[in-house]
C-alpha cells in the first residue's frame, strides 16, 4: 500500500502521516507549506520526505501520485480570514484543486 497525503504538513495531515509511517505504510507527502509546517511532524522521516509542491499543476500532481493506492486529500485554504481576503484563491485551492485530485484518481 502506498498512500498520498495532500496537506500533509497541516495539523491533521501531519498526525495522520506520523501514524501511518509508524504502521509501516509507504507515503507520498505533499504540501506547499503555505499554512502547514515541517514542525508539525513528529517523524523526522516525514519532515525530510515532504514534497513542497503546488497542487494546481495537474500533470505534475499526477506524476507524483500515480503509483499510490490511496489518496487522502487534506490540502485547502482553511483560514476563514484568508478565504475572505482572497476568495478567488480560496476557491481555486478548495474547489479547483479538489477537482484536479479527483481527475488524477
Amino acid at each position: 500500500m502506498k498512500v498520498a497525503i495532500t496537506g500533509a504538513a497541516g495539523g491533521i495531515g501531519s498526525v495522520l502521516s506520523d501514524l501511518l509511517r509508524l504502521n509501516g505504510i509507504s507515503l507520498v507527502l505533499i504540501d506547499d507549506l503555505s499554512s502547514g509546517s515541517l514542525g508539525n511532524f513528529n517523524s523526522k522521516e516525514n519532515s525530510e520526505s515532504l514534497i513542497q509542491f503546488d497542487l494546481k499543476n495537474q500533470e505534475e500532481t499526477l506524476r507524483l501520485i500515480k503509483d499510490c493506492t490511496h489518496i487522502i486529500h487534506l490540502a485547502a485554504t482553511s483560514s476563514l480570514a484568508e478565504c475572505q481576503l482572497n476568495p478567488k484563491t480560496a476557491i481555486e485551492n478548495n474547489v479547483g484543486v479538489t477537482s484536479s485530485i479527483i481527475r488524477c484518481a
Side-chain angles (χ1 to χ4, degrees):
M1 177 184 329
K2 188 172 187 179
V3 178
I5 302 177
T6 66
I12 296 170
S14 60
V15 171
L16 179 60
S17 63
D18 285 338
L19 272 170
L20 293 176
R21 176 87 58 199
L22 282 173
N23 285 290
I25 295 173
S26 179
L27 300 172
V28 174
L29 304 176
I30 304 167
D31 200 299
D32 68 0
L33 298 178
S34 61
S35 61
S37 168
L38 292 176
N40 287 337
F41 294 109
N42 285 327
S43 165
K44 185 177 180 182
E45 190 175 354
N46 282 347
S47 63
E48 290 175 349
S49 67
L50 180 87
I51 300 165
Q52 188 174 351
F53 177 73
D54 184 347
L55 293 165
K56 291 180 189 124
N57 181 334
Q58 186 176 348
E59 253 181 55
E60 186 67 13
T61 299
L62 181 57
R63 187 188 69 73
L64 290 173
I65 66 174
K66 70 178 179 177
D67 296 329
C68 295
T69 56
H70 298 77
I71 302 167
I72 301 171
H73 177 53
L74 301 172
T77 302
S78 58
S79 160
L80 177 58
E82 183 66 28
C83 289
Q84 290 172 327
L85 286 172
N86 299 300
K88 183 179 177 189
T89 301
I91 290 169
E92 287 172 355
N93 289 338
N94 296 354
V95 178
V97 169
T98 298
S99 175
S100 177
I101 293 292
I102 290 168
R103 285 192 300 275
C104 287

